[in-house]
Amino acid sequence: MSRSTIGYLALLAFGLAAPFFIYPVLVMKVLCFSLFACAFNLLLGYTGLLSFGHAVFFGSAAYVAGHALKVWQLPTLLGLLAGTGAAAALGWVIGSLAIRRQGIYFAMITLALAQMVYFLFLQAPFTGGEDGLQGVPRGSLFGVLDLSDDMNLYYVVLAIFAAAFWLIQRTIHSPFGQILKAIRENEPRAVSLGYDVAKYKLLAFVLSAGLAGLAGATKTLVFKFATLTDAHWHTSGEVVLMTLVGGMGTVFGPLVGATVIVTLQNELADKVGSLVTVIMGSIFVICVLAFRRGIVGESLALYERMIGRR
Amino acid sequence: MSEIFGIPIQAFMGQLMLGLVNGSFYAMLSLGLAVIFGMLNIINFTHGALYMVGAFGAWLGLTYLELGYWQALLLSPICVGIFGIVIERSMLQWLYKLDHLYGLLLTFGLALVLEGLFTNIFGVSGQPYSIPDELSGAFNLGFMFLPKYRAWVIVASLVVCFVTWFVIEKTQLGAYLRAATENPKLTQAFGINVPLMVMLTYGFGAALAGFAGVLAAPAIQVSPLMGSNLIIVVFAVVVIGGMGSILGSILTGIGLGVIEGLTKVFYAEASSTVVFIIMAIVLMIRPAGLFGKEK
Amino acid sequence: MKQKLLVALTTMALAAFGTQAHAQAEKAKTGKLSGDMVKVAVMNDMVGLYADIGGPGSVEAAKMAVADFGGKILGKPIEVVFADHQNKPDIGASKAREWFDTQGVDMIVDVPTSSVAIAVAKVANEKKRVFMNTGAATKALTNEECNPYTVHYAYDTYALANGTGKAIVQTGGKTWFFLTADYAFGHALEGDTAAVVKASGGEVKGAVRHPLSASDFSSFLLQAQASKAQIIGLANAGGDTINAVKAANEFGLTKNQTLAGLLMFITDVHSLGLKTAQGMMLTDAWYWDANDETRKFGKRFFEKMKRMPSFDQAAVYSATLTYLKAVEASGTDDADAVMATLKKTKINDVFTKGGYIRVDGRMVHDMYLMQVKKPEDSKYPWDYFQLKKVIPAEEAFQPLSLSKCSLVKK
């Protein structure tokens, strides 16, 4: 077995055993945000596009999935699919507008468009405005497995995460993923090689939005509600932070980042209150100034240096 | 006579005036963003937080040092400007060689730190700041009720915007600035201290945000989150106007404020989204922005 | 390899179900008090626009109740914990879930902000724990969203509309325009008041919604001004009400139109000052200066918090005390047993005399129509209200016959 296979298996074993010694709802939250960060990393780390409004895909999927499950009473899996599809569709609309500009403008446009959708959610009747969409039923898997039980739901969420994670790895290592990296490294050269850069960017954007949506829809299932927080720009900032802390453009970075940030927020919320924002902001600043490769990136660099010295 | 387009003239003029007030804030903030962007190539996400700090400066001055509104209008922007210079020297200057996105991320982090700190100390619900006696009360124009303070905000911000435009476009100092923006290396070779100009530019942009904050303090509550809600709209304003031109960002700011105000009269539900809708339309027709040049 | 993995998976799955069954059996055996203690949790807005109404004062009130109860229950300790929900339903619901799942919290009290209250009530119902809401106003808690574990203790939008709305229409305020906080509470208060206004022969000219914790009310007030209604009903609370009143003064609305604060707490009047607030009518659930007993409680509270208790804080005290008494009487903290006891209890304490909890979870007690005093009539600090009318318990709240609660048998 190769080294990476051992890594994956160890991770899987940990995932399977985790709910026995950690509060399962917390682990599920970590998984949802890890998926969200992985989806975001696909765009930032592998395509070089900084979307500052990614929470809108997370949030819109949370609302659509919640609405589908609660009002239309769709089966659980269909509800998740509806949320993911809606996020991907929204990703197509926002993406095709935003890729008209590059760099900083791209970031500002995604942020502004996301804010617009946020205001729409605030006013649309189906979201419940400030009240949020509450009391979403978890339902059951294929009518057999009762998901209202946290343990049952946990393994479903773990399976969703594993599948999506696998899909992202496949994408990165596919020819499509190689073209994305080429765009990240040198866009004019990719154009001169004859690639339709706009098309590839849009495709990456839609894929990332859809996966972020899957994360949001799954989160609705876990917490049984979807609220404005899911679509707020603060959440967009959080996912950037998670990716940055973990290490952008690395496979496990977003996972590590999401785990660190969610755990930190959870542990600190009761102890320091609103200082949590200060701590998050400080981590941002420190990462940008000193640890731009993130935890995973810096560790890898350290490891390589040690190998090199030997 | 008492109606215009089927809307009572009082409501129409009132919202128009509020739109002008909001537009003045958009103009001052987008102007600051444009100046900083031009020189540093950084999108200053901290701008909203600096605006908030300016407002709190006025409030703190009044509460603890018994400084009146007029002193605050002078001192608070200076303090915010110095604070901006500290930020530039201690952090931002290390990022100029990197991808511009890092500047955005760093200033975003700083905005979180500032907002969190002020929330922690003063609570989210905000502190009242009363209108100075000279400007309290209102003009009764017959068809509408114009609070004196709101009129003052419009006048003051127009003056500040005009002076900034004049300094940058028509003076020797402005010429150096524009040269440094165009070609920093060459300008440096001519013996002009470019890093100093960069530092002062950021300080000036920050002071402008602080000034807007002090102006805003009596009109709305001084609250830690007052800046973050505004800054995203200002981003949209900047995208619409295009970053290239000083005059462009002033005009776009005021124009969009007015459009937003009028939306409140005709279709209030869309008032919070109208700026973003305009942004989407502009992007489709003229991706570089109304006053921008395609680079 | 695959086989091994399958074996491991199956083992873990089996282990999962095993542990669960075990946990359930454990719970049944321990009997009396879960976790060998009673844990009361106060959840509210600690620093935001509703912090003065509840906030740290509510935590103090709950601690006073525990002290007055004697500090111990059935020989076991009582603990008070608290959290800030920041007026966000998602934060409130996940905190409640975590409290019930991992901290062994038996009862949650206070929870202002109707949207959060509804979210917490849903979690309480799912986890079968007691939820005594004193801070939130929406009557949905005892109607569409009612459940067997939720008690709505202090007041609701029906009682407010019925008190203030009716009184104002009767004194000649016939045409209304609403300035409404855009969430569950504002909508409910606007709806209930509009119904009362119409039923009493008044007219509703329109409404404008503002976001929770809005900073600038000027454009909303211009819309209210354009409506030319006599009365501008403020269907909001706390900091929002205070800011709306101030902005209305700045724009000269108060010259031709009258403001009606539909939910005013004594702390709001304190922030506004009597000069601005004088003459306003409001519906109150409790007032510190009503009798010797309330004055004594008020002074005790004042010594700790440097301000007089709001009716919400008094209700937190009363609800905590009532809950502890019910646990003792039931001999267990099992929620079903405690709720059965609670719904049989007559409540007699500083908050109410002869109050009782109905089948829909509504605590029924007298309400008071108050008018804010003129500055010259106020004799000592916090002397703010003049009692206009006692609204008897049976009239104050929505009759059961109109209830939409599924627990009410018709």
Side-chain angles (χ1 to χ4, degrees):
Chain A
M1 272 192 300
S2 77
R3 246 195 350 241
S4 66
T5 322
I6 296 177
Y8 283 122
L9 282 177
L11 214 59
L12 186 65
F14 179 79
L16 288 170
F20 291 96
F21 46 91
I22 309 172
Y23 180 39
V25 176
L26 178 66
V27 191
M28 285 192 274
K29 188 177 176 190
V30 168
L31 286 176
C32 290
F33 275 95
S34 297
L35 176 53
F36 185 20
C38 286
F40 178 78
N41 188 38
L42 185 62
L43 207 54
L44 176 63
Y46 292 97
T47 323
L49 294 174
L50 172 59
S51 158
F52 228 96
H54 237 52
V56 81
F57 307 118
F58 189 76
S60 60
Y63 277 125
V64 171
H67 190 75
L69 291 171
K70 190 182 172 183
V71 182
W72 298 338
Q73 302 190 322
L74 291 185
T76 306
L77 277 188
L78 279 183
L80 289 180
L81 275 180
T84 312
L90 188 63
W92 187 80
V93 175
I94 291 186
S96 32
L97 274 174
I99 57 168
R100 288 166 171 264
R101 301 300 303 271
Q102 280 133 13
I104 290 174
Y105 279 98
F106 180 87
M108 284 201 296
I109 291 165
T110 45
L111 176 63
L113 288 174
Q115 187 75 352
M116 178 173 97
V117 179
Y118 173 83
F119 279 122
L120 289 179
F121 284 152
L122 184 65
Q123 288 170 347
F126 86 100
T127 62
E130 303 249 11
D131 304 339
L133 188 67
Q134 296 177 4
V136 176
R138 281 179 182 172
S140 59
L141 195 65
F142 308 121
V144 188
L145 193 64
D146 178 17
L147 296 181
S148 61
D149 184 278
D150 282 346
M151 280 298 192
N152 292 350
L153 182 68
Y154 175 81
Y155 288 104
V156 174
V157 172
L158 185 66
I160 290 174
F161 174 80
F165 193 76
W166 177 80
L167 177 69
I168 292 173
Q169 295 322 310
R170 289 291 307 170
T171 309
I172 293 170
H173 295 117
S174 70
F176 172 64
Q178 297 303 324
I179 298 167
L180 293 184
K181 273 181 236 173
I183 295 174
R184 179 189 67 184
E185 294 305 329
N186 193 335
E187 192 169 330
R189 184 174 293 169
V191 175
S192 70
L193 286 173
Y195 290 113
D196 185 351
V197 168
K199 195 181 87 188
Y200 283 104
K201 275 186 180 174
L202 185 59
L203 216 63
F205 199 89
V206 173
L207 184 64
S208 172
L211 287 169
L214 179 61
T218 313
K219 195 234 75 180
T220 300
L221 210 57
V222 174
F223 287 100
K224 302 187 177 180
F225 56 69
T227 66
L228 287 172
T229 309
D230 301 333
H232 195 254
W233 61 266
H234 250 265
T235 309
S236 298
E238 258 166 35
V239 78
V240 181
L241 180 59
M242 286 168 186
T243 312
L244 190 65
V245 166
M248 54 176 117
T250 61
V251 175
F252 292 108
L255 220 151
V256 173
T259 312
V260 169
I261 298 297
V262 171
T263 320
L264 212 57
Q265 280 174 338
N266 207 60
E267 289 298 308
L268 292 174
D270 293 338
K271 298 188 186 89
V272 297
S274 47
L275 277 179
V276 171
T277 325
V278 181
I279 294 170
M280 295 296 136
S282 312
I283 296 177
F284 239 115
V285 171
I286 294 168
C287 278
V288 171
L289 286 177
F291 302 102
R292 277 184 288 274
R293 281 178 292 203
I295 297 175
V296 172
E298 296 289 345
S299 316
L300 280 179
L302 193 71
Y303 178 73
E304 268 160 28
R305 235 178 301 152
M306 276 161 54
I307 298 267
R309 210 171 286 163
R310 227 189 287 161
Chain B
M1 177 53 217
S2 71
E3 290 199 352
I4 190 164
F5 308 128
I7 305 283
I9 196 159
Q10 189 183 21
F12 184 85
M13 295 306 288
Q15 298 289 13
L16 186 70
M17 186 266 302
L18 284 183
L20 268 176
V21 172
N22 278 341
S24 312
F25 289 124
Y26 294 161
M28 272 186 289
L29 291 177
S30 64
L31 175 64
L33 277 183
V35 170
I36 292 176
F37 180 78
M39 201 66 198
L40 285 76
N41 258 321
I42 274 179
I43 284 292
N44 189 26
F45 213 115
T46 318
H47 220 65
L50 292 170
Y51 160 82
M52 176 272 290
V53 172
F56 263 101
W59 182 84
L60 286 169
L62 184 72
T63 315
Y64 295 104
L65 305 171
E66 289 177 16
L67 286 175
Y69 173 80
W70 302 105
Q71 286 103 313
L73 202 55
L74 184 69
L75 288 178
S76 188
I78 292 177
C79 294
V80 175
I82 293 171
F83 182 61
I85 288 175
V86 171
I87 292 176
E88 199 275 333
R89 281 292 95 186
S90 61
M91 298 176 209
L92 281 176
Q93 66 154 327
W94 309 110
L95 299 178
Y96 296 147
K97 289 197 187 72
L98 300 169
D99 194 317
H100 302 330
L101 294 177
Y102 285 109
L104 179 69
L105 292 177
L106 181 92
T107 49
F108 177 75
L110 279 176
L112 287 185
V113 171
L114 288 175
E115 270 176 13
L117 272 182
F118 279 79
T119 308
N120 198 50
I121 302 171
F122 303 104
V124 286
S125 54
Q127 308 289 342
Y129 186 91
S130 48
I131 294 172
D133 291 336
E134 298 88 344
L135 296 171
S136 61
F139 303 109
N140 198 341
L141 303 180
F143 58 89
M144 72 172 294
F145 209 74
L146 178 64
K148 283 182 193 164
Y149 188 78
R150 312 265 165 173
W152 154 249
V153 168
I154 299 172
V155 173
S157 67
L158 283 180
V159 168
V160 166
C161 287
F162 174 77
V163 168
T164 309
W165 170 80
F166 185 83
V167 168
I168 292 177
E169 298 290 338
K170 304 285 171 202
T171 62
Q172 185 70 43
L173 179 69
Y176 290 151
L177 263 178
R178 278 177 286 135
T181 311
E182 206 64 44
N183 194 337
K185 275 193 189 130
L186 201 60
T187 316
Q188 183 109 37
F190 277 114
I192 292 163
N193 189 343
V194 172
L196 180 74
M197 300 206 74
V198 167
M199 180 184 96
L200 290 178
T201 306
Y202 192 83
F204 174 74
L208 210 55
F211 183 78
V214 182
L215 273 187
I220 60 177
Q221 291 275 301
V222 178
S223 92
L225 302 180
M226 63 195 279
S228 61
N229 297 324
L230 194 59
I231 194 67
I232 299 177
V233 182
V234 175
F235 279 179
V237 170
V238 164
V239 173
I240 295 171
M243 291 272 227
S245 123
I246 301 284
L247 203 58
S249 52
I250 299 173
L251 291 179
T252 329
I254 295 176
L256 284 170
V258 170
I259 291 176
E260 200 184 53
L262 293 185
T263 318
K264 280 181 185 142
V265 185
F266 294 106
Y267 188 66
E269 285 78 11
S271 62
S272 49
T273 38
V274 65
V275 173
F276 303 115
I277 294 170
I278 294 175
M279 183 190 81
I281 295 170
V282 168
L283 275 177
M284 279 188 275
I285 301 169
R286 239 186 105 86
L290 294 179
F291 298 88
K293 278 165 267 163
E294 196 76 63
K295 271 187 189 173
Chain C
M1 181 58 224
K2 263 189 189 157
Q3 255 180 346
K4 264 190 204 164
L5 199 67
L6 204 65
V7 173
L9 269 175
T10 330
T11 327
M12 278 184 190
L14 282 175
F17 292 120
T19 340
Q20 235 180 331
H22 182 67
Q24 268 159 9
E26 194 86 8
K27 204 176 169 190
K29 257 188 281 170
T30 43
K32 279 191 168 181
L33 293 184
S34 60
D36 258 354
M37 66 176 343
V38 167
K39 220 177 211 179
V40 173
V42 182
M43 183 195 285
N44 62 25
D45 178 3
M46 289 285 172
V47 290
L49 75 170
Y50 299 151
D52 284 349
I53 298 164
S58 287
V59 180
E60 190 54 46
K63 285 183 179 157
M64 282 165 74
V66 171
D68 288 358
F69 187 80
K72 288 210 167 247
I73 188 160
L74 302 168
K76 304 284 194 242
I78 308 168
E79 196 186 329
V80 176
V81 294
F82 61 90
D84 184 355
H85 64 40
Q86 298 169 32
N87 301 318
K88 293 201 178 110
D90 48 327
I91 295 182
S94 9
K95 190 74 220 175
R97 187 174 295 278
E98 196 193 319
W99 263 344
F100 291 145
D101 279 350
T102 67
Q103 311 276 315
V105 162
D106 297 295
M107 188 271 272
I108 295 181
V109 69
D110 204 1
V111 194
T113 321
S114 296
S115 48
V116 189
I118 293 172
V120 171
K122 286 202 157 96
V123 179
N125 187 33
E126 182 193 332
K127 300 287 173 189
K128 299 195 180 9
R129 303 281 172 92
V130 180
F131 172 38
M132 300 187 88
N133 186 291
T134 60
T138 179
K139 70 170 190 211
L141 282 173
T142 54
N143 280 286
E144 299 88 345
E145 306 287 350
C146 84
N147 68 56
Y149 301 97
T150 298
V151 176
H152 201 190
Y153 204 83
Y155 70 118
D156 61 21
T157 48
Y158 182 94
L160 296 171
N162 203 33
T164 321
K166 207 185 257 175
I168 291 174
V169 180
Q170 277 165 3
T171 52
K174 295 286 184 198
T175 53
W176 285 63
F177 187 91
F178 289 101
L179 187 63
T180 306
D182 196 7
Y183 71 106
F185 150 69
H187 300 169
L189 188 51
E190 181 196 319
D192 286 354
T193 315
V196 168
V197 167
K198 282 175 198 150
S200 325
E203 185 198 345
V204 176
K205 293 239 178 184
V208 58
R209 307 270 165 91
H210 71 76
L212 179 64
S213 200
S215 57
D216 186 9
F217 280 89
S218 43
S219 76
F220 306 115
L221 285 166
L222 282 175
Q223 292 178 46
Q225 194 168 33
S227 74
K228 304 245 188 304
Q230 287 171 295
I231 306 288
I232 296 166
L234 304 177
N236 48 24
D240 281 342
T241 307
I242 294 173
N243 290 338
V245 172
K246 282 186 181 158
N249 279 311
E250 191 196 344
F251 278 83
L253 260 77
T254 38
K255 290 202 174 81
N256 306 315
Q257 291 163 304
T258 308
L259 298 177
L262 297 173
L263 172 52
M264 297 275 288
F265 289 84
I266 191 167
T267 43
D268 302 334
V269 174
H270 183 71
S271 306
L272 278 171
L274 287 183
K275 198 171 155 245
T276 317
Q278 59 180 310
M280 288 178 101
M281 304 279 245
L282 56 100
T283 307
D284 202 357
W286 181 87
Y287 180 44
W288 72 272
D289 203 9
N291 56 49
D292 286 340
E293 197 184 355
T294 57
R295 273 188 284 275
K296 203 177 133 213
F297 178 78
K299 297 219 164 96
R300 261 180 75 199
F301 185 90
F302 189 89
E303 274 161 29
K304 299 227 166 77
M305 302 304 299
K306 299 297 159 227
R307 44 174 60 226
M308 283 295 171
S310 68
F311 75 70
D312 174 38
Q313 288 156 343
V316 168
Y317 170 85
S318 171
T320 310
L321 199 59
T322 306
Y323 172 79
L324 293 174
K325 284 177 186 162
V327 171
E328 188 160 68
S330 316
T332 170
D333 60 3
D334 175 71
D336 290 296
V338 174
M339 284 306 298
T341 315
L342 275 174
K343 287 188 177 170
K344 283 183 292 196
T345 316
K346 281 273 175 197
I347 303 163
N348 279 302
D349 59 15
V350 66
F351 186 73
T352 171
K353 297 281 175 255
Y356 61 94
I357 297 165
R358 282 194 319 213
V359 58
D360 59 349
R362 175 74 256 157
M363 204 279 266
V364 181
H365 59 96
D366 292 350
M367 295 289 285
Y368 310 94
L369 184 67
M370 301 284 198
Q371 186 162 30
V372 180
K373 286 186 173 176
K374 294 199 178 79
E376 58 268 28
D377 295 339
S378 174
K379 302 276 181 286
Y380 37 88
W382 295 87
D383 176 20
Y384 291 156
F385 295 162
Q386 183 72 50
L387 179 66
K388 299 297 272 187
K389 189 179 147 202
V390 177
I391 308 165
E394 294 303 323
E395 276 178 42
F397 293 96
Q398 184 189 38
L400 271 184
S401 57
L402 295 179
S403 177
K404 293 193 194 105
C405 173
S406 54
L407 299 168
V408 179
K409 288 196 192 77
K410 284 191 181 153

